[in-house]
Amino acid sequence: MLESLIAKLNSNELFLSLEVSPNLSGKLGQTFINELCTLEHIDCLVCTDSPLARLKPSSILTSIKLQNAIKKPVICTLSMRDRNSIALCGDILGANELGLRAFLSLTGDSVKNGDCVDSKGVFEGNSLKLGKIIQELNEGRAINGKALQEHVEQIYNFQVINSYANNPHSLKSRMHKKLTSSLVYGLFTQPVFSIQAAEFLLESLSEINATLNQQCIMVLGFFPVLRYKVALFLRDKLPGVYIPNEWIDKLYHASKKDAQEEQKVGLSMSLELFENLQKLHNKFHFMSANKISLVKEFL
């Protein structure tokens, strides 16, 4: 199942992943699982790890449950924020035997921005260290340098890259650093809101791949924005994302009419962007805040 996913990611076919974030609940919910099962065109899910440092159920255990329930591969997000290398290495080893073998490596959002005010961030390292942990496990060694008694099944490491920076070349430098630190099968970008940004990201990765003789695939983040307040949040609160002033202005004026007009304008701009991005690339990661009906608008 996972090897077929990697093959499709490396093919010329359209690839679609979907971000899912488990609710703060004792159960995942059969209704939600049933809704996910209706998304035939989605190739895999990417399960978040308490995004924005807001408490959610375990990304590893949720990923395993989702993978077993929907019979599709799940890429599990892991961050360096909440666990040290001992815990992370042990979790990845345990998950491997249960069939969870793809991870999206993150540094993690700051705890001060989250909803657990008494918690403290671990941040033993950044996403590059997590990539190295995975690479060493694939080579038969644990984080302490000891050899594994039995080798793991192949683990696939994915990384994240911002979609915008005041100095665009810093993005390219960051990409290069990620690809030289460990073997990266795919780079997932933060939401992209302009063709120019997408072109720069794709061209930069192509040059780095050629230099390093690698085949890392870029997956463009796509976030449909239907509300003015969401656009403001993305612009002001989410580092590494740029949303054009044109979007802000149009959504603002639409919101002054009514919520229906606001959603109509946002959906129209988002659909147009997605159509134009498809002319440029065919690997996408949907972020929709678990709104399955919204995802279907684009499929």
Side-chain angles (χ1 to χ4, degrees), residues 238-278:
L238 197 59
V241 174
Y242 170 77
I243 187 164
N245 289 330
E246 179 186 5
W247 283 56
I248 303 289
D249 294 340
K250 286 185 177 181
L251 284 167
Y252 171 75
H253 292 298
S255 69
K256 291 301 180 182
K257 295 181 181 180
D258 54 52
Q260 188 174 7
E261 179 67 14
E262 182 182 21
Q263 181 166 320
K264 178 183 176 182
V265 169
L267 183 59
S268 175
M269 290 192 294
S270 297
L271 282 167
E272 181 181 2
L273 172 64
F274 187 56
E275 290 172 359
N276 289 331
L277 286 172
Q278 284 187 87

Side-chain angles (χ1 to χ4, degrees), residues 51-74:
L52 301 176
R54 294 173 182 171
L55 179 63
K56 299 288 185 180
S58 162
S59 62
I60 289 180
L61 296 180
T62 302
S63 294
I64 292 171
K65 182 171 182 178
L66 282 170
Q67 192 163 266
N68 291 338
I70 68 171
K71 308 304 179 186
K72 285 185 178 181
V74 176

Side-chain angles (χ1 to χ4, degrees), residues 106-265:
L106 298 181
T107 300
D109 301 300
S110 173
V111 173
K112 68 180 181 181
N113 297 324
D115 58 5
C116 298
V117 294
D118 294 326
S119 296
K120 294 182 179 180
V122 177
F123 292 110
E124 183 184 301
N126 57 24
S127 61
L128 301 183
K129 183 165 187 176
L130 189 46
K132 289 178 180 177
I133 291 173
I134 292 173
Q135 182 151 316
E136 289 192 357
L137 287 174
N138 280 327
E139 293 171 355
R141 297 186 306 277
I143 192 66
N144 56 8
K146 293 182 179 179
L148 303 178
Q149 290 186 13
E150 290 191 33
H151 279 232
V152 297
E153 289 192 61
Q154 179 72 40
I155 307 171
Y156 295 92
N157 174 38
F158 296 88
Q159 295 269 341
V160 173
I161 194 73
N162 289 343
S163 60
Y164 172 81
N166 289 328
N167 176 10
H169 293 288
S170 66
L171 280 180
K172 189 173 181 179
S173 175
R174 187 64 179 164
M175 283 187 216
H176 189 276
K177 193 171 184 178
K178 285 178 179 284
L179 267 62
T180 53
S181 177
S182 60
L183 180 59
V184 179
Y185 286 87
L187 274 179
F188 284 71
T189 79
Q190 291 278 31
V192 176
F193 290 99
S194 78
I195 298 300
Q196 292 75 18
E199 287 176 337
F200 175 79
L201 291 167
L202 291 166
E203 290 170 3
S204 297
L205 181 58
S206 179
E207 290 177 15
I208 294 169
N209 273 333
T211 300
L212 301 177
N213 193 27
Q214 295 191 24
Q215 295 181 322
C216 180
I217 303 299
M218 180 156 286
V219 184
L220 295 176
F222 180 75
F223 192 124
V225 177
L226 309 188
R227 295 179 57 213
Y228 171 63
K229 287 185 178 179
V230 173
L232 285 183
F233 174 83
L234 291 172
R235 185 191 69 181
D236 300 335
K237 302 294 185 181
L238 197 59
V241 174
Y242 170 77
I243 187 164
N245 289 330
E246 179 186 5
W247 283 56
I248 303 289
D249 294 340
K250 286 185 177 181
L251 284 167
Y252 171 75
H253 292 298
S255 69
K256 291 301 180 182
K257 295 181 181 180
D258 54 52
Q260 188 174 7
E261 179 67 14
E262 182 182 21
Q263 181 166 320
K264 178 183 176 182
V265 169

Side-chain angles (χ1 to χ4, degrees), residues 16-21 39 42 44-48 51 77 104 106 159-163 187-193 219-226 230 233-234 238-241 270 274 277 283-292 294-296 298-299:
L16 300 171
S17 63
L18 174 66
E19 179 182 274
V20 293
S21 185
L39 298 175
I42 293 294
C44 76
L45 303 180
V46 178
C47 182
T48 61
T77 304
L104 184 62
L106 298 181
Q159 295 269 341
V160 173
I161 194 73
N162 289 343
S163 60
L187 274 179
F188 284 71
T189 79
Q190 291 278 31
V192 176
F193 290 99
V219 184
L220 295 176
F222 180 75
F223 192 124
V225 177
L226 309 188
V230 173
F233 174 83
L234 291 172
L238 197 59
V241 174
S270 297
F274 187 56
L277 286 172
K283 315 293 180 190
F284 296 98
H285 176 54
F286 278 84
M287 301 171 228
S288 65
N290 289 351
K291 295 177 181 175
I292 306 302
L294 179 58
V295 177
K296 292 180 177 179
F298 294 84
L299 300 182

